[in-house]
Amino acid sequence: MACRLDADALLALWERTLAAGAPGRDDALLQALPDALAAPRTLGERNARLLALHAQLFGSELALLSHCPACGSAAQFSADCEALAARPPATDAAASRHRLEAQGHAIEFRLPDSADIAAASGAPDDDAFARELLARCVLACTRNGARVPPHELPAPLLDALSQRMEALDPAASLSFELACPQCSTPWEARLDVGPLLWQKLQATAERVLLDVDALARAYGWTEPEVLRLSPLRRAAYLQLATA
């Protein structure tokens, strides 16, 4: 898992992201983009930027793994960052308010953001998570002129609202339709770009720290001296140190 940052910059990014903690991790990662802009307006825009950062740091190919919910068998598959990020949002996706009329209801809503995801993440199951997330995004809802509280919306209407949000911001939720190689059970595997990118960054940084530790013990070098070595030279010295 080679990283395209030099070792010192890699550790600096890892340290900043680690210090930000889980709630601010994606934002800390996005600051590494050379053209870091204002905060993403939608979840789809956030995912697109995180995918662009993955391509810059680790390449465009995503090596992914999921497990069959029926028998537990592993399914390995791959995806391309650029193809996933190319799902264009609707032209009005960045608007602050949207409207849906369905099943006699008129709903004013906004698209969810990362704060909504964090707030709904404590829900006990996926259905409760989806209901809480959608309810947070409903700005107003009426039926025949009467106000309807978001938490009282029927499931079919919430499904229509979810579909409308997905059409506005298709990259907000990334998933893959898979079939088990052993029992043929189909399932949908979700891709959380931020955690995946963080796991790769953390694993790569930990390997660099292990290299520094091993070479410092073997040769008495300081961290800056080890980090100035190219990856090839560092690997060669590690091989000599363990010979």
Side-chain angles (χ1 to χ4, degrees):
M1 191 194 305
C3 181
R4 298 176 182 179
L5 283 179
D6 65 63
D8 193 47
L10 168 75
L11 290 180
L13 175 59
W14 168 77
E15 190 173 11
R16 289 197 306 271
T17 308
L18 182 65
R25 191 168 288 157
D26 286 359
D27 290 331
L29 286 169
L30 289 176
Q31 290 304 308
L33 285 169
D35 54 348
L37 305 172
R41 294 167 295 179
T42 68
L43 292 175
E45 185 178 337
R46 177 178 292 271
N47 276 339
R49 293 192 196 179
L50 289 169
L51 288 166
L53 181 57
H54 185 288
Q56 289 183 24
L57 296 182
F58 301 109
S60 187
E61 183 179 2
L62 293 168
L64 303 172
L65 174 69
S66 185
H67 290 86
C68 173
C71 70
S73 295
Q76 294 181 320
F77 60 106
S78 62
D80 182 79
C81 288
E82 294 178 359
L84 291 175
R87 301 181 183 185
T91 55
D92 60 342
S96 59
R97 298 177 75 96
H98 303 274
R99 183 177 177 86
L100 172 68
E101 295 185 5
Q103 303 174 25
H105 293 74
I107 302 176
E108 299 284 337
F109 68 96
R110 60 176 176 79
L111 292 176
D113 57 25
S114 57
D116 298 315
I117 297 292
S121 61
D125 54 49
D126 289 346
D127 288 342
F129 169 84
R131 177 172 284 275
E132 176 64 23
L133 180 65
L134 293 174
R136 286 178 58 86
C137 296
V138 173
L139 303 174
C141 179
T142 59
R143 179 180 173 85
N144 299 324
R147 179 179 173 274
V148 179
H151 286 91
E152 295 181 10
L153 293 174
L157 190 59
L158 291 177
D159 288 341
L161 179 57
S162 178
Q163 291 171 13
R164 175 64 175 145
M165 288 180 173
E166 184 177 351
L168 285 166
D169 195 23
S173 179
L174 300 173
S175 61
F176 303 88
E177 299 292 335
L178 302 178
C180 180
Q182 299 298 323
C183 69
S184 300
T185 297
W187 80 96
E188 183 177 78
R190 292 185 64 247
L191 171 60
D192 293 323
V193 186
L196 174 67
L197 181 55
W198 165 244
Q199 289 168 10
K200 287 190 175 182
L201 176 63
Q202 186 174 38
T204 308
E206 288 175 350
R207 281 200 299 275
V208 172
L209 291 174
L210 288 172
D211 290 354
V212 171
D213 178 72
L215 293 177
R217 292 174 186 273
Y219 299 105
W221 294 337
T222 65
E223 181 185 87
E225 288 172 331
V226 173
L227 296 182
R228 280 198 295 269
L229 295 171
S230 69
L232 186 60
R233 287 190 179 186
R234 198 161 64 236
Y237 279 116
L238 284 168
Q239 187 174 13
L240 291 171
T242 56

